[in-house]
């Protein structure tokens, strides 16, 4: 289903049930399909909402701006449009950085934050030639295959691998360029210190993109209630490389919070 927010049509998929909604934000190169195996499990207990961010998947690709603020604004507007009363934001990589910014605004109804292989809130240092190369990784299948080989540690099922390659190329050129040239360099480190909800960080043990040591130094110290869990022998695409472990970690975290009273900081 399509929802128009902030002047952009977003492709949204909802399934599941329950009073608590889970809102999923995908990585740079992904789509709502990235979360398919996760939502197939979690929909038994929760209302799951995944969507293609602006410029990706089947969402509109005519937007002129793709900053982290734009992505956070879209998520916030979609949550408002859907009338969610109680929800958890779950973001992966680029989506994780947008999720951090949104959570820092302390929006009504937010109960918890889950960050999966998240990009840190600080600017990511990278050689300029590599940054320029990233802009064109997803221009064609050959580039997408190279990118995939550099970020996933575990082999993907053939149908999943084809889905990833298709998603990487199914994107707006401006969206592909905006992450390495703009959003990756944005500094939201001051904002994330205002996150008040319980936060789970799921890091791939062998993630070559958002490395464990980077998260320990740049992310964890800045979020007051952050809890780190390491997914062993996993790369950057943990929702696809280790979906059972990611689903279990999310389920356990939410169950623990439910038992103790979800989001005690807002009581």
């Amino acid at each position: 289903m399509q929802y128009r927010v902030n002047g952009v049509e977003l492709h949204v998929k909802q399934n599941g049930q329950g009073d608590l909604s889970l809102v999923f934000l995908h990585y740079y190169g992904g789509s709502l399909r990235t979360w398919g195996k996760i939502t197939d499990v979690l929909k038994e207990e929760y209302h799951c909402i995944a969507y293609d961010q602006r410029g990706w998947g089947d969402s509109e690709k005519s937007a002129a701006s793709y900053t982290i603020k734009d992505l956070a604004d879209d998520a916030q507007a979609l949550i408002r449009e859907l009338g969610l009363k109680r929800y958890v934001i779950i973001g992966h990589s680029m989506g994780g950085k947008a999720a951090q910014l949104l959570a820092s605004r302390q929006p009504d109804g937010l109960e918890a934050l889950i960050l999966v292989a998240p990009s840190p809130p600080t600017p990511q240092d990278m050689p300029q030639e590599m940054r320029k190369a990233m802009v064109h990784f997803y221009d064609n299948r050959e580039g997408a295959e190279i990118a995939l080989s550099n970020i996933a540690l575990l082999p993907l099922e053939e149908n999943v691998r084809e889905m990833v390659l298709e998603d990487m190329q199914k994107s707006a050129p401006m969206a592909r360029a905006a992450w390495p040239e703009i959003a990756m360099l944005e500094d939201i480190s001051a904002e994330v210190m205002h996150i008040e909800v319980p936060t789970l960080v799921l890091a791939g043990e062998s993630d070559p993109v958002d490395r464990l040591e980077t998260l320990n130094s740049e992310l964890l110290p800045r979020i007051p209630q952050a809890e780190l869990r390491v997914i062993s022998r996993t790369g950057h695409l943990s929702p696809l490389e280790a979906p059972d472990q990611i689903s279990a970690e999310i389920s356990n975290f939410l169950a623990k919070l439910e038992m103790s009273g979800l989001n005690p900081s807002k009581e």
Side-chain angles (χ1 to χ4, degrees), residues 17 85 142 204 229:
Q17 57 189 355
K85 303 301 182 186
E142 181 182 7
R229 299 282 293 175

Side-chain angles (χ1 to χ4, degrees), residues 23-131:
V23 182
F24 294 85
L25 283 68
H26 64 77
Y27 73 105
Y28 172 74
S31 75
L32 65 81
R33 302 193 298 177
T34 302
W35 297 106
K37 290 191 175 185
I38 310 295
T39 56
D40 279 349
V41 173
L42 297 178
K43 69 182 181 181
E44 298 302 320
E45 294 186 57
Y46 303 103
H47 173 211
C48 295
I49 301 155
Y51 69 99
D52 298 332
Q53 298 188 75
R54 59 169 60 198
W56 298 94
D58 290 322
S59 286
E60 189 172 338
K61 298 177 176 62
S62 62
S65 180
Y66 296 87
T67 66
I68 287 299
K69 181 180 181 300
D70 293 322
L71 302 185
D73 287 349
D74 287 349
Q76 190 165 15
L78 180 61
I79 287 166
R80 189 181 306 117
E81 178 71 19
L82 295 174
L84 305 185
K85 303 301 182 186
R86 299 176 61 237
Y87 57 91
V88 175
I89 305 170
I90 304 175
H92 176 210
S93 192
M94 177 185 75
K97 189 169 184 176
Q100 292 167 54
L101 182 57
L102 176 51
S104 76
R105 299 171 180 173
Q106 302 175 13
D108 290 341
L110 179 63
E111 301 283 1
L113 173 66
I114 299 175
L115 304 173
V116 182
S119 294
T122 48
Q124 290 173 268
D125 189 29
M126 178 185 294
Q128 188 59 30
E129 58 269 22
M130 185 178 297
R131 203 178 297 281

Side-chain angles (χ1 to χ4, degrees), residues 2-249:
Q2 302 293 119
Y3 287 87
R4 188 167 187 82
V5 302
N6 298 329
V8 177
E9 292 280 344
L10 297 181
H11 179 57
V12 182
K13 181 177 181 180
Q14 302 184 62
N15 53 30
Q17 57 189 355
D19 295 331
L20 184 65
S21 298
L22 309 182
V23 182
F24 294 85
L25 283 68
H26 64 77
Y27 73 105
Y28 172 74
S31 75
L32 65 81
R33 302 193 298 177
T34 302
W35 297 106
K37 290 191 175 185
I38 310 295
T39 56
D40 279 349
V41 173
L42 297 178
K43 69 182 181 181
E44 298 302 320
E45 294 186 57
Y46 303 103
H47 173 211
C48 295
I49 301 155
Y51 69 99
D52 298 332
Q53 298 188 75
R54 59 169 60 198
W56 298 94
D58 290 322
S59 286
E60 189 172 338
K61 298 177 176 62
S62 62
S65 180
Y66 296 87
T67 66
I68 287 299
K69 181 180 181 300
D70 293 322
L71 302 185
D73 287 349
D74 287 349
Q76 190 165 15
L78 180 61
I79 287 166
R80 189 181 306 117
E81 178 71 19
L82 295 174
L84 305 185
K85 303 301 182 186
R86 299 176 61 237
Y87 57 91
V88 175
I89 305 170
I90 304 175
H92 176 210
S93 192
M94 177 185 75
K97 189 169 184 176
Q100 292 167 54
L101 182 57
L102 176 51
S104 76
R105 299 171 180 173
Q106 302 175 13
D108 290 341
L110 179 63
E111 301 283 1
L113 173 66
I114 299 175
L115 304 173
V116 182
S119 294
T122 48
Q124 290 173 268
D125 189 29
M126 178 185 294
Q128 188 59 30
E129 58 269 22
M130 185 178 297
R131 203 178 297 281
K132 288 182 179 179
M134 278 189 70
V135 172
H136 299 290
F137 272 163
Y138 301 156
D139 287 356
N140 51 54
R141 183 182 175 93
E142 181 182 7
E145 288 180 332
I146 293 171
L148 177 57
S149 68
N150 286 330
I151 61 178
L153 177 68
L154 300 178
L156 303 177
E157 298 170 7
E158 186 58 29
N159 64 315
V160 174
R161 185 174 184 276
E162 286 301 315
M163 179 195 78
V164 170
L165 294 173
E166 181 180 303
D167 282 346
M168 285 177 169
Q169 298 170 81
K170 194 176 182 180
S171 51
M174 286 188 67
R176 296 200 293 270
W179 173 244
E181 294 187 337
I182 300 172
M184 186 184 283
L185 296 171
E186 292 182 71
D187 189 346
I188 60 169
S189 56
E191 286 88 339
V192 301
M193 296 178 73
H194 298 290
I195 296 174
E196 291 189 341
V197 293
T199 300
L200 174 65
V201 180
L202 298 175
E205 181 183 36
S206 303
D207 188 336
V209 179
D210 294 307
R211 299 175 183 275
L212 184 56
E213 54 267 32
T214 301
L215 299 181
N216 274 317
S217 63
E218 301 297 325
L219 176 69
L220 272 298
R222 291 184 165 89
I223 301 181
Q225 298 188 62
E227 168 190 344
L228 174 67
R229 299 282 293 175
V230 178
I231 309 300
S232 63
R233 300 183 300 279
T234 302
H236 189 58
L237 298 187
S238 51
L240 298 166
E241 295 178 66
D244 292 343
Q245 291 155 277
I246 296 296
S247 300
E249 291 287 356

